[in-house]
Structure formats: structure tokens, C-alpha cells
Amino acid sequence: MLCCICKILFTDVKMVTLLALSNMVSEQEIVSLETGNDVISFLTAAIDKAMKSAEHKEHGFHLAELVDGIATMAQSDRNKAKIMEKDILKLVEYILLNEKTKNTETLACVKLLWELSFADSIKKEIKVPVTIYVCYVFTKTTIFNKRYRTH
């Protein structure tokens, strides 16, 4: 029982520390946040759990805060590759196309895609989810519905 409580407490402390640091460091200091795959795996797993939960939260953090934290880490070129190894584009695509996604979550995803797009090798991979999202948003607009949808 005690081990489970310690593990939960450690996970919460790790999340708070990681997200707090990602919001405190400057763009020049972000290099110090270059992390191993375990931290990025930890964050992407939290993003996955948060987007599947009814409240869009994990470890007390909203989905937008988690995505924003990983977007800050993506400012480092070395972290970009590590983040891409975790299939982040699939998570972002799922978030963007989800009916229950909030504006803050969409904005955090756009910020993440923007940070990742500074690497030429990643820019090509980003085009697909962004194109899908733009088409999705366009089909929800009033103009599209008036012209192309039959009732």
C-alpha cells in the first residue's frame, strides 16, 4: 500500500516540477531542459490519459497545460526528435479532431506544431495533421454547410 502511495506522490511531484520548469526557463535556457526519453514518455502518456478522461485532466493538469509543457520542451532541437519518436502527431491529430476539444487545447496543439515545425525534417510530417484539421474545421463552417451539405 505504501509503495503505491509513494509512486503516486512521486508522479505528481515529477509532473509539477517538469511543467513548472518548462514555464520558468527562457528560450535560451531551454537547452537545460533537454530531457531523456523517460520524461518525454511520461508527458506523452499523461497527454494520452488526459485526452481520454472526461475532465481532460491527468495528475491535476489540464490537457492544454500538458501539451503546452511539451511544446516548451520542443524549443530544443534535440528534444524535437525525441518528441517525434513518441508519435506525438497522432495524439495531436486525435485532439484536434475530437468534438470535445476546447479552444485552449487546440491552441496548445497549434503551438506544439509550430515549435516542431522549426526542424525541416519534421515540417514535412506535420503537413498531414494540419491539412486534416483545416479540412475538418472548414467542413464545420456555416459557408461550407450552406453550399455543400444537403439536408
Side-chain angles (χ1 to χ4, degrees), residues 119-128:
D120 289 334
S121 60
I122 296 172
K123 197 180 297 184
K124 295 171 186 167
E125 292 180 59
I126 290 175
K127 288 181 181 178
V128 173

Side-chain angles (χ1 to χ4, degrees), residues 69-140:
I70 208 161
T72 302
M73 290 184 179
Q75 291 175 2
S76 161
D77 288 338
R78 285 188 233 167
N79 281 343
K80 283 179 177 70
K82 293 175 188 173
I83 291 167
M84 289 300 289
E85 288 173 8
K86 301 299 174 192
D87 277 339
I88 196 71
L89 294 182
K90 286 183 182 177
L91 292 175
V92 167
E93 186 177 340
Y94 180 85
I95 295 167
L96 292 175
L97 297 177
N98 190 325
E99 293 283 332
K100 296 178 183 174
T101 297
K102 300 173 182 127
N103 289 340
T104 55
E105 297 162 352
T106 300
L107 184 60
C109 286
V110 170
K111 180 183 173 189
L112 173 58
L113 291 172
W114 179 72
E115 290 293 351
L116 290 171
S117 71
F118 284 99
D120 289 334
S121 60
I122 296 172
K123 197 180 297 184
K124 295 171 186 167
E125 292 180 59
I126 290 175
K127 288 181 181 178
V128 173
V130 171
T131 303
I132 290 170
Y133 179 66
V134 168
C135 292
Y136 174 74
V137 170
F138 181 70
T139 61
K140 297 209 153 277

Side-chain angles (χ1 to χ4, degrees), residues 44-58:
T44 53
I47 290 168
D48 187 48
K49 289 177 185 175
M51 70 184 187
K52 292 176 181 171
S53 79
E55 305 86 34
H56 283 205
K57 287 174 109 178
E58 179 63 18

